[in-house]
Amino acid sequence: MVSYIALVISVIALSVAIRNYLRKSGIHVKGHFTISSSAYAEDQYVDHFTLENFKDRSVIIFKVFLRVGPNYYIELSNFEHEPKILKSYESFTQILGPVDYYSLNMNRIKLNQLLSSKEVKTFLVLSTSNGKYVVKEWIQRWDPITDFFNNHFTAPIQSMRSNNQNGYYGADFAYLVKLLMENGYIKTVPIYSEDYNYPRFQNFRLTQESLKSKGNLEEFLIDQAIRGNINCVNVEVLDGKEILSKSYGLGFAKTIEAKRYSWFTYLVVGKIVTKLSSIRFYFTNRKRRKGYKASK
């Protein structure tokens, strides 16, 4: 019995030693990259790449390339003057912009056909202190948009946060009133379309007429300041729609209320609806292709 126990302990110790050796030896880096195109650039390009170190040892990187096919190497990043040290279990992402063109021996070379071809394999290749390393393993990233194409009941929702300095007042405010006080403090008051029913200010109430436009509200508040109902030296009114438009572009088309779905509805009914939608989309596209061919 003692000999069996000793054997088990020896096997466990050996496996731990092997795992520690494998964890600290060699290089194991996974990668991810995205090839994009721009309306202002003719050539496709790598929009960004991510590297993740899966070893308990650092990797020193001098250059990062994208290998297209067996022989084309596009230089993405050059760290020769300050090598990038990818520490143990660390990840690194670099954002890249569009390119004007690709150069080979003082000549322009076009790569769009190769970059867009499914038959041509592309890999990230690293120039490291241990030599050349080809990143063959893909980082398994997940996004709910992928689930949406399999089940249209999946709803990828974005949190819209303002990037301006006006503060956060939701999406329903109509105006922002900025009052410059005598001590230099700026007081910001959000105004909503129904605020004529609420005492937004201490000494007076807003009227329906004053809320019809930005100009009406500004004129109304200046008049109240002249009468002494507001202790401020300047009044500025900002339009809520303009603020949201600057932050989010066109904004939202309409407002919907989220409904509760059970797991059965999501997994079963959602799959059926998605399948029917795919079939309908297939026949619609086939009809359009036939109409396009007939018009030629």
Side-chain angles (χ1 to χ4, degrees):
M1 192 67 179
V2 174
S3 62
Y4 282 118
I5 294 175
L7 178 62
V8 171
I9 294 175
S10 300
V11 171
I12 294 174
L14 179 62
S15 64
V16 171
I18 293 175
R19 286 171 62 89
N20 286 335
Y21 172 77
L22 295 176
R23 185 163 50 89
K24 294 180 177 291
S25 63
I27 299 176
H28 184 193
V29 176
K30 291 185 179 182
H32 180 274
F33 61 90
T34 301
I35 296 177
S36 302
S37 59
S38 172
Y40 303 100
E42 181 180 349
D43 295 275
Q44 296 182 17
Y45 61 96
V46 175
D47 179 70
H48 74 277
F49 67 85
T50 301
L51 301 173
E52 187 172 359
N53 186 8
F54 278 80
K55 287 286 188 178
D56 191 13
R57 57 173 295 183
S58 299
V59 179
I60 300 176
I61 302 174
F62 299 106
K63 288 185 178 182
V64 180
F65 298 89
L66 178 71
R67 190 178 75 185
V68 184
N71 61 316
Y72 295 104
Y73 291 86
I74 303 174
E75 183 177 315
L76 302 180
S77 296
N78 190 331
F79 305 111
E80 285 192 338
H81 296 292
E82 189 176 353
K84 173 63 183 177
I85 301 177
L86 195 61
K87 298 179 181 179
S88 305
Y89 306 110
E90 184 183 41
S91 62
F92 166 71
T93 298
Q94 185 166 13
I95 307 298
L96 305 171
V99 299
D100 291 328
Y101 66 95
Y102 295 106
S103 175
L104 174 65
N105 297 329
M106 302 299 293
N107 299 313
R108 180 182 179 183
I109 181 170
K110 295 187 176 183
L111 299 169
N112 282 355
Q113 289 186 359
L114 297 181
L115 290 174
S116 59
S117 175
K118 295 182 179 180
E119 298 178 356
V120 179
K121 294 184 178 181
T122 54
F123 295 96
L124 291 174
V125 179
L126 310 180
S127 173
T128 73
S129 57
N130 291 337
K132 174 184 176 181
Y133 180 80
V134 181
V135 182
K136 293 185 177 181
E137 290 191 64
W138 196 260
I139 297 176
Q140 299 298 324
R141 297 175 58 180
W142 171 84
D143 195 285
I145 294 178
T146 305
D147 288 358
F148 170 78
F149 290 106
N150 297 323
N151 189 333
H152 290 351
F153 278 20
T154 305
I157 299 173
Q158 294 180 327
S159 301
M160 309 303 291
R161 293 183 172 88
S162 176
N163 56 3
N164 57 59
Q165 304 298 321
N166 294 314
Y168 306 91
Y169 304 99
D172 296 327
F173 69 95
Y175 308 100
L176 281 184
V177 175
K178 290 192 172 185
L179 305 176
L180 177 61
M181 302 302 180
E182 294 180 353
N183 59 1
Y185 173 75
I186 298 178
K187 180 181 179 181
T188 303
V189 182
I191 303 297
Y192 298 84
S193 57
E194 302 295 328
D195 270 1
Y196 59 86
N197 292 324
Y198 302 96
R200 182 62 65 179
F201 296 91
Q202 184 176 1
N203 298 324
F204 63 93
R205 288 197 178 193
L206 298 172
T207 63
Q208 288 183 310
E209 184 65 26
S210 66
L211 294 176
K212 285 186 177 181
S213 68
K214 169 185 170 182
N216 285 9
L217 180 60
E218 193 168 45
E219 183 179 349
F220 178 82
L221 293 176
I222 290 175
D223 181 65
Q224 295 298 325
I226 295 174
R227 296 183 182 185
N229 293 329
I230 309 178
N231 295 322
C232 65
V233 296
N234 186 52
V235 176
E236 181 184 7
V237 178
L238 303 177
D239 187 275
K241 292 183 179 180
E242 291 181 3
I243 294 175
L244 293 177
S245 177
K246 290 180 180 179
S247 299
Y248 309 116
L250 297 176
F252 50 86
K254 61 180 180 178
T255 301
I256 59 175
E257 188 71 28
K259 299 179 181 179
R260 180 184 177 277
Y261 289 94
S262 65
W263 281 105
F264 175 81
T265 303
Y266 174 67
L267 295 176
V268 178
V269 179
K271 287 283 188 179
I272 296 174
V273 170
T274 304
K275 190 66 176 178
L276 294 175
S277 177
S278 299
I279 295 173
R280 184 171 60 253
F281 184 72
Y282 168 78
F283 283 107
T284 300
N285 281 345
R286 191 174 72 168
K287 184 178 180 181
R288 288 178 179 175
R289 286 195 297 268
K290 287 183 177 179
Y292 176 75
K293 291 179 180 180
S295 63
K296 283 188 173 183

